[in-house]
Amino acid sequence: MFLSHASEDKDEIARPLREALEDRGLTVWFDELKIKVGHSIRQEIEKGIEGARFGVVILSPSFFAKQWTQAELDALFTKKIDSGRSVILPIWHRVTKDEVASQSPLLAGLLALNSATMTLSEIADAIAEAVAEDGQ
């Protein structure tokens, strides 16, 4: 799975979530592990999205403010439309439904996990369950 996040959210939620998902046996594409010095950031991200069955998207104020994360989201929506599958697994982090809806009404229509009401362990369990139900 591809883990899309703003760099500002890396320490607080993205890195610990990656570790929790890997502890549950899931393979996670994570930028700081996959993009090496001298590599094309864009090409590595595109390979990560292309090879992923799911995109876990950590939606936050920082996420919505960045062009990179918006480009990742565009690619994941294209993958969703082309495959006809629910590939985007959103997590609301420091945002409300209204804030998500003002940035992306399509995202607001997806059932999301919420870091304000769930522990990191509960979020990782819910993602692992969604992946397992999809046959992974």
Side-chain angles (χ1 to χ4, degrees), residues 4-58:
S4 179
H5 64 284
S7 57
E8 292 84 353
D9 300 321
K10 191 176 298 288
D11 291 336
E12 184 177 1
I13 187 169
R15 192 177 294 117
L17 179 60
R18 175 194 55 86
E19 293 167 0
L21 292 170
E22 288 176 346
D23 287 347
R24 286 157 177 79
L26 300 174
T27 302
V28 181
W29 189 98
F30 194 66
D31 60 351
E32 69 184 11
L33 300 178
K34 297 294 184 180
I35 302 174
K36 305 298 182 198
V37 65
H39 286 183
S40 165
I41 295 169
R42 180 193 53 80
Q43 289 175 354
E44 293 300 318
I45 289 171
E46 287 176 346
K47 282 194 281 187
I49 291 171
E50 177 62 30
R53 289 192 48 90
F54 294 95
V56 174
V57 182
I58 300 174

Side-chain angles (χ1 to χ4, degrees), residues 1 17 20-28 53-54 56 85-86 88-89 91 111 113 118 120-136:
M1 78 183 46
L17 179 60
L21 292 170
E22 288 176 346
D23 287 347
R24 286 157 177 79
L26 300 174
T27 302
V28 181
R53 289 192 48 90
F54 294 95
V56 174
R85 294 178 49 250
S86 297
I88 299 172
L89 306 176
I91 300 169
L111 182 62
L113 305 172
M118 301 173 76
L120 190 65
S121 181
E122 291 170 333
I123 290 171
D125 286 344
I127 291 169
E129 183 180 325
V131 170
E133 287 178 1
D134 189 65
Q136 294 300 302

Side-chain angles (χ1 to χ4, degrees), residues 2 5 29 31 33 37 42 48 65-66 68 76-77 83 85 93 95 97 104 111 117 122 129:
F2 184 87
H5 64 284
W29 189 98
D31 60 351
L33 300 178
V37 65
R42 180 193 53 80
K66 298 207 166 236
W68 274 113
L76 289 168
F77 262 110
S83 70
R85 294 178 49 250
H93 182 64
V95 292
K97 182 170 185 164
S104 174
L111 182 62
T117 60
E122 291 170 333
E129 183 180 325

